[in-house]
Amino acid sequence: MELNNDPVTAHKKEETYLLEAVQLTKRFPMVLANDRVDFNVRRGEIHCLLGENGAGKTTLAECLYGFYKPEEGDIRFNGRCVNLSSPNDAIHLGIGMVHQHFVLVEPLSVIENIVMGTDHKGVLLDFAATEKKLDSLCLLYDVKIDLNAKIWQLSVGEQQWVEILKALYTGVKLLILDEPTAVLTPPEAERLFSVLQRMKDEGLSIIFITHRLKEVMQVSDRVTVLQKGRKVATVNTKDVTTEELAYMMVGRKVVFQVNKDEIKRGDPILQLTNLTAKSDMGLEALHGVNLVIHQSEILSVAGVAGNGQKELFEALIGVRKATAGDVIIAGKNIVNNSPRKIANEGISHIPDDRIGAGLIADFSVEENLILGLEENPPYRKGLFLDKSHIKKYAEESIAQYDIVTPSMKQRTSYLSGGNLQKVILARELRQSLKVLIANQPSRGLDVGVIEYVHKQLLEMRRNGIGILLISEDLDEIFTLSDRIAVMFRGKILKIFEAREANIESIGLLMAGITDKETQ
Amino acid sequence: MSPVDKLKFEKRDDISPLGRTAAIVVALIAAMLVSAILIKLANASPLEAFINLFKGAFGNKRAILETLTKSTPLILTGLATVIAFRGKIWSIGQEGQFFLGAIGGYWAYRIFEGLPAAALVPIVILGAFLVGAFGGMLAGLLKAYFNVDVIISTVMGNYIIDYFLSFMLSGSGPWREPGSYYQQTAEITENAYYPLLFANARIHMGFLIAIACSMIVYLILNHTPFGYQLRAFGSNPRAAKFKGINTNKIIILTMFISGGLAGLAGTGELFGVQYRLRPDLSPGYGYTGIIVAMLAGLNPIGVIPAAILFGALINGSAQMRIATGVPTALTFAIQAIVLLSLLSAQVLTRFRVRRVDHA
């Protein structure tokens, strides 16, 4: 059982938990994702699973949800050993899970999605009865959502409510939420927390996966910290401080702030005027954005995912057609130029989707380090690639950016997330650039690597580079920015000087609430 | 035993070259065992059949040279496949482009017939490459600008080329040998023959061209910016686009080269072996080239041994048939069995199969 960390269980022998995992081990090729983890959930508690990315939080949850089958260890539900061979078994027991990526059918309504996602008897679907039941659930937990809206009309935050309702509808006793606040604005997150509190009062148990310490302190009764697949401890939240949790999570002291020098911003370097673009669905997603980025400046675009950031990023780097507007760098209009031309004007970029858009996973580290440079001398000599120069360049990059890889010939897909990002940083920052467009450069990275990324961005700022930082992480934005532009539904609502901004007003703007409306 | 519910494929860690070779040997033995059952069912002696198969393919110098002759078009259609498939451009047009090459070569021959061999043969080769390449490029253009699936456009293209050739060789067609009963052109004149490499053997200059092409494709793929971009596009088209690789150019140029290589295969058979253009110039060299390329693991150098293996099967099975009376259909079946076991071996070296069952 648990060590001395849990004073309650110490004297209460033989407590039967709602759910208990004993010595759970899950292996993947080359990775031990969970190493003899003990974990339990009481009835009517919110239990946080805390850890860095890759600590094994999601894997543990997926084992409890029957998605993965652990190699060793037992899972007990209500004190009885259970064998979960698929999520269906978990659902039958009353375990529900809301994943980071939602599984909803966009053209269908909320009710239709919930009916489809659940078992039903008989041939015909009884929408009326479903609606009645959902209405009462919404009332009970104080969830506000239009049940007849189509999924595509909903914001990402609202779609998460649909997933939660779907789980509640099946009558869960235990709800697992995997990083639920990643897609929420601060006010939306507050709402989620109050609903979770209500669920807890109704006797539900909740496993809340997160890597944000603040949330742990705010919502949980107990917290289990994982590090590199192992359980560090399970503690009562009220008995620990944020610093202690951070130490358990990372295994070393964490610097929460990187030092930002006072630098005077330089001349304008990149100007966006009335930039307009459509989404993949063909709807206008970017409505006439105006921004000016200066040298030695980090201008952040804050906003909840899906408010036009993707379209802004892609239009700027030339992979999405702008339907109107101009992008001017050093007096030259480059709107709708090819990505290669734009890059050659001195615009580097860091994509949010490292594996999908930033790297060729099958390529060696060496090859990835010259992606985009392959046609330029000195990497090309006559008709051929200059392999000896490329090798030298790769060696330098690996040393300079501290990329951990057994060799430069290593297939890139074997690198950790942090090292993948360093490959991209090396490639993008070692060129002569004027502007850097960084889309969520620290998403999914460990605290240590985030620190590294932030230092690199500040270093670039010191060197006179203009940086456009698109981020959903307000902490990151406040740490780095000189100015903050809040984006909502494809428009820039307001631009703040960072030192005059506060997190509350930006949070409200991110949800589209302008000052006038709140009065 | 508990009933098996699911089989799960898990990716293995990289496997050593030795392990890979061992897998191929095991696969070939397995293929022989399965084939032996079929041969037995056909009332022949498997051992005798295999001995004759081997003798027919490698029994003496003549047999070896004939095997190499048979493998020549397969190297080229295999390379045509390799270059397209490395970019995940699924061209099935090698058979059609094979004939386009023959048509292009013959067309060039008709125009420049009177020239001496030293000038005529290079012109024929160039014509064959360009016309085959043009066919491939059309499919590339359709993909790049209208997003037409390459599989569909190339398969349909194969039919169009087939019917076009039928028309050219029909009774009233412009290329039909006057007075001939067969669908064929007149025999080409000797100044257009591919030079033979040995007296008393059919192996011709086309074999050297094929070897040179596999070196060139290797260089293109591994040592040029274009090859780098093609491989990048093949494994992650989105990242390739984000990093400014002109994906349309890649698709069109790749299909151009692929079509040209298949075209060289066709013209080699016409000017090196058959000396006439006929609808049966290829017994499916284009499609077999796809198999050869898969077998070679899409490696341009690996295409050479893979093509020789299939050339040996084709060449050796003739003697096997004559000596043991194994029916022709069975020789095709054996080729298919060899292919299936080699492909299974490839999957099994790359993945581990695990049984997932309910306890």
Side-chain angles (χ1 to χ4, degrees):
Chain A
M1 288 248 152
E2 298 188 323
L3 304 173
N4 306 329
N5 294 324
D6 197 341
V8 187
T9 42
H11 53 82
K12 234 201 231 172
K13 261 193 188 168
E14 297 289 315
E15 174 181 358
T16 51
Y17 296 101
L18 176 65
L19 181 88
E20 192 179 6
V22 184
Q23 294 287 301
L24 198 102
T25 298
K26 173 71 199 166
R27 282 187 201 91
F28 291 114
M30 320 199 41
V31 196
L32 190 55
N34 285 146
D35 186 4
R36 288 164 290 158
V37 173
D38 288 320
F39 175 71
N40 57 56
V41 185
R42 296 198 180 113
R43 290 173 190 78
E45 81 162 342
I46 299 179
H47 194 139
C48 272
L49 256 180
L50 175 71
E52 292 196 274
N53 287 287
K57 303 176 302 246
T58 300
T59 306
L60 176 59
E62 295 284 19
C63 287
L64 301 177
Y65 187 56
F67 189 81
Y68 292 137
K69 204 175 160 68
E71 269 80 31
E72 287 158 40
D74 291 328
I75 297 171
R76 293 179 199 148
F77 195 78
N78 272 328
R80 281 184 46 216
C81 245
V82 288
N83 193 331
L84 305 173
S85 46
S86 79
N88 261 331
D89 296 351
I91 291 166
H92 280 297
L93 287 174
I95 302 173
M97 180 157 176
V98 176
H99 294 84
Q100 284 181 45
H101 303 282
F102 307 145
V103 259
L104 298 169
V105 185
E106 299 233 322
L108 297 186
S109 73
V110 174
I111 297 187
E112 286 166 330
N113 266 282
I114 290 174
V115 171
M116 275 200 343
T118 48
D119 274 358
H120 42 77
K121 296 179 180 72
V123 185
L124 299 174
L125 302 173
D126 190 350
F127 284 109
T130 307
E131 185 162 6
K132 225 172 118 192
K133 189 170 167 196
L134 285 174
D135 273 334
S136 64
L137 280 172
C138 288
L139 202 67
L140 177 62
Y141 297 116
D142 194 23
V143 176
K144 295 188 186 82
I145 195 163
D146 176 4
L147 294 175
N148 289 306
K150 309 281 187 227
I151 297 299
W152 62 267
Q153 296 170 320
L154 303 179
S155 74
V156 190
E158 288 171 317
Q159 290 182 16
Q160 182 158 279
W161 285 118
V162 180
E163 288 283 2
I164 292 174
L165 272 179
K166 210 159 96 182
L168 291 174
Y169 181 76
T170 61
V172 290
K173 301 188 189 79
L174 171 67
L175 182 61
I176 306 171
L177 300 169
D178 193 357
E179 306 256 2
T181 51
V183 294
L184 302 180
T185 59
E188 284 176 319
E190 289 300 328
R191 268 209 59 64
L192 174 68
F193 296 154
S194 78
V195 172
L196 292 183
Q197 209 59 46
R198 232 174 144 126
M199 289 179 187
K200 179 183 134 183
D201 296 343
E202 293 294 327
L204 294 186
S205 303
I206 291 154
I207 299 176
F208 189 102
I209 301 175
T210 185
H211 62 263
R212 296 184 187 175
L213 295 164
K214 264 190 232 161
E215 293 173 357
V216 175
M217 300 310 284
Q218 192 179 351
V219 298
S220 69
D221 300 303
R222 286 194 302 159
V223 49
T224 293
V225 185
L226 295 180
Q227 192 197 116
K228 291 181 182 142
R230 292 199 182 168
K231 185 177 99 165
V232 179
T234 298
V235 291
N236 291 323
T237 311
K238 60 178 189 317
D239 300 338
V240 286
T241 64
T242 314
E243 285 71 27
E244 284 167 344
L245 281 179
Y247 187 81
M248 286 188 224
M249 180 163 103
V250 187
R252 66 176 171 88
K253 264 209 139 85
V254 179
V255 192
F256 278 105
Q257 284 289 329
V258 279
N259 293 321
K260 193 169 90 182
D261 319 336
E262 279 302 321
I263 294 180
K264 238 188 123 222
R265 90 177 50 122
D267 298 331
I269 179 77
L270 186 74
Q271 266 172 298
L272 323 187
T273 329
N274 188 33
L275 192 65
T276 306
K278 285 184 173 155
S279 71
D280 292 337
M281 306 278 284
L283 305 169
E284 195 167 283
L286 204 59
H287 309 283
V289 166
N290 297 301
L291 284 174
V292 180
I293 296 137
H294 302 82
Q295 291 176 326
S296 291
E297 172 188 51
I298 297 182
L299 170 62
S300 295
V301 174
V304 183
N307 274 292
Q309 295 97 323
K310 174 182 148 95
E311 288 78 10
L312 173 66
F313 177 70
E314 293 184 357
L316 280 177
I317 66 167
V319 296
R320 181 176 296 272
K321 209 173 165 318
T323 48
D326 299 315
V327 178
I328 293 163
I329 181 163
K332 201 163 163 189
N333 194 349
I334 51 159
V335 75
N336 289 335
N337 280 3
S338 74
R340 186 57 52 101
K341 262 193 174 162
I342 291 176
N344 288 342
E345 288 298 330
I347 299 186
S348 284
H349 71 263
I350 300 173
D352 56 340
D353 181 4
R354 280 185 281 284
I355 297 277
L359 294 163
I360 313 287
D362 291 337
F363 271 17
S364 67
V365 173
E366 179 187 31
E367 285 178 307
N368 264 310
L369 282 166
I370 62 148
L371 185 60
L373 306 171
E374 71 280 350
E375 283 176 326
N376 305 350
Y379 310 98
R380 173 179 64 82
K381 203 176 183 182
L383 279 177
F384 297 104
L385 295 168
D386 185 343
K387 293 256 172 160
S388 65
H389 184 87
I390 292 171
K391 181 165 175 264
K392 206 178 104 218
Y393 177 80
E395 271 165 2
E396 286 167 12
S397 304
I398 288 170
Q400 191 181 333
Y401 283 81
D402 201 13
I403 298 165
V404 180
T405 170
S407 107
M408 69 173 101
K409 304 285 181 201
Q410 175 76 19
R411 251 181 67 146
T412 309
S413 56
Y414 289 132
L415 266 56
S416 71
N419 283 301
L420 294 177
Q421 189 70 324
K422 284 180 177 179
V423 172
I424 294 178
L425 285 174
R427 187 181 71 205
E428 299 297 322
L429 303 184
R430 283 196 73 194
Q431 297 161 56
S432 58
L433 69 160
K434 299 191 185 100
V435 171
L436 174 67
I437 298 166
N439 192 2
Q440 310 228 50
S442 56
R443 174 150 92 177
L445 298 176
D446 292 350
V447 181
V449 185
I450 292 175
E451 217 177 288
Y452 184 86
V453 172
H454 288 176
K455 278 184 182 156
Q456 290 293 330
L457 293 185
L458 290 173
E459 171 76 24
M460 286 293 127
R461 169 175 173 266
R462 212 170 298 134
N463 295 343
I465 312 296
I467 298 169
L468 182 70
L469 170 68
I470 300 171
S471 181
E472 286 160 23
D473 182 347
L474 284 178
D475 290 337
E476 173 171 81
I477 285 175
F478 275 91
T479 309
L480 297 176
S481 315
D482 295 296
R483 288 188 300 149
I484 302 168
V486 181
M487 191 150 164
F488 179 73
R489 301 228 168 118
K491 282 195 182 114
I492 300 291
L493 293 187
K494 197 170 175 186
I495 302 176
F496 294 87
E497 286 293 330
R499 68 184 99 79
E500 292 159 14
N502 65 59
I503 218 157
E504 288 72 29
S505 51
I506 286 182
L508 285 174
L509 275 173
M510 279 166 71
I513 302 163
T514 49
D515 293 330
K516 281 173 210 144
E517 287 170 41
T518 46
Q519 300 310 312
Chain B
M1 248 176 47
S2 63
V4 178
D5 278 287
K6 268 189 266 174
L7 289 175
K8 213 173 176 179
F9 285 81
E10 284 177 359
K11 212 159 179 168
R12 278 182 204 263
D13 308 340
D14 279 345
I15 198 164
S16 69
L18 193 72
R20 211 169 290 156
T21 317
I24 291 175
V25 172
V26 171
L28 285 177
I29 292 170
M32 282 173 75
L33 290 177
V34 177
S35 307
I37 297 171
L38 286 183
I39 295 168
K40 193 82 199 162
L41 286 175
N43 283 325
S45 149
L47 187 65
E48 204 184 320
F50 287 131
I51 289 170
N52 277 294
L53 180 72
F54 187 81
K55 268 193 190 161
F58 300 109
N60 51 46
K61 186 179 159 200
R62 208 192 153 87
I64 293 172
L65 291 179
E66 183 60 19
T67 292
L68 296 183
T69 310
K70 287 275 192 283
S71 65
T72 300
L74 295 177
I75 296 175
L76 288 164
T77 53
L79 289 172
T81 312
V82 165
I83 196 160
F85 282 20
R86 281 296 275 273
K88 298 225 168 76
I89 303 166
W90 307 118
S91 168
I92 314 290
Q94 294 79 344
E95 184 77 5
Q97 291 144 8
F98 175 100
F99 278 107
L100 271 185
I103 289 167
Y106 188 71
W107 186 28
Y109 161 79
R110 300 257 304 200
I111 297 170
F112 299 100
E113 220 169 341
L115 293 179
L120 183 54
V121 172
I123 289 174
V124 162
I125 291 173
L126 186 69
F129 183 88
L130 287 179
V131 174
F134 172 76
M137 191 178 69
L138 276 184
L141 285 168
L142 286 171
K143 172 68 191 171
Y145 293 108
F146 302 101
N147 199 21
V148 177
D149 191 287
V150 174
I151 299 180
I152 309 251
S153 63
T154 51
V155 169
M156 293 300 151
N158 289 347
Y159 283 109
I160 295 171
I161 294 156
D162 188 22
Y163 288 126
F164 174 73
L165 184 62
S166 280
F167 159 73
M168 295 301 279
L169 300 177
S170 62
S172 54
W175 285 359
R176 171 85 159 224
E177 180 181 25
S180 167
Y181 175 76
Y182 297 105
Q183 266 203 14
Q184 61 183 28
T185 62
E187 215 174 271
I188 54 165
T189 52
E190 241 174 84
N191 57 336
Y193 283 16
Y194 273 25
L196 294 178
L197 300 182
F198 296 93
N200 300 326
R202 295 205 295 171
I203 188 161
H204 52 85
M205 185 184 67
F207 180 71
L208 298 184
I209 293 176
I211 300 291
C213 283
S214 76
M215 307 292 171
I216 292 170
V217 171
Y218 174 83
L219 276 181
I220 290 176
L221 281 175
N222 296 296
H223 289 274
T224 65
F226 166 72
Y228 175 97
Q229 293 178 335
L230 171 62
R231 289 183 292 120
F233 172 72
S235 53
N236 189 346
R238 187 149 169 261
K241 191 175 150 195
F242 270 59
K243 285 308 294 171
I245 290 171
N246 184 340
T247 51
N248 283 352
K249 187 182 105 184
I250 297 292
I251 295 170
I252 295 163
L253 190 54
T254 303
M255 284 305 295
F256 182 86
I257 299 172
S258 171
L261 289 167
L264 290 182
T267 213
E269 286 302 286
L270 168 51
F271 291 87
V273 180
Q274 306 263 357
Y275 305 132
R276 304 176 184 271
L277 180 50
R278 308 158 49 106
D280 60 359
L281 190 65
S282 161
Y285 284 134
Y287 299 114
T288 312
I290 297 174
I291 297 169
V292 165
M294 296 304 287
L295 197 56
L298 301 185
N299 176 332
I301 305 297
V303 159
I304 298 171
I308 291 174
L309 176 69
F310 270 81
L313 276 175
I314 296 169
N315 190 27
S317 55
Q319 171 152 354
M320 178 174 77
R321 193 169 60 230
I322 296 159
T324 61
V326 171
T328 318
L330 208 54
T331 63
F332 290 119
I334 291 172
Q335 287 172 24
I337 290 166
V338 170
L339 172 77
L340 283 177
S341 29
L342 285 167
L343 287 183
S344 320
Q346 240 174 26
V347 171
L348 291 178
T349 47
R350 234 178 290 164
F351 299 93
R352 185 192 318 265
V353 185
R354 273 204 332 141
R355 213 169 56 176
V356 184
D357 45 17
H358 286 289

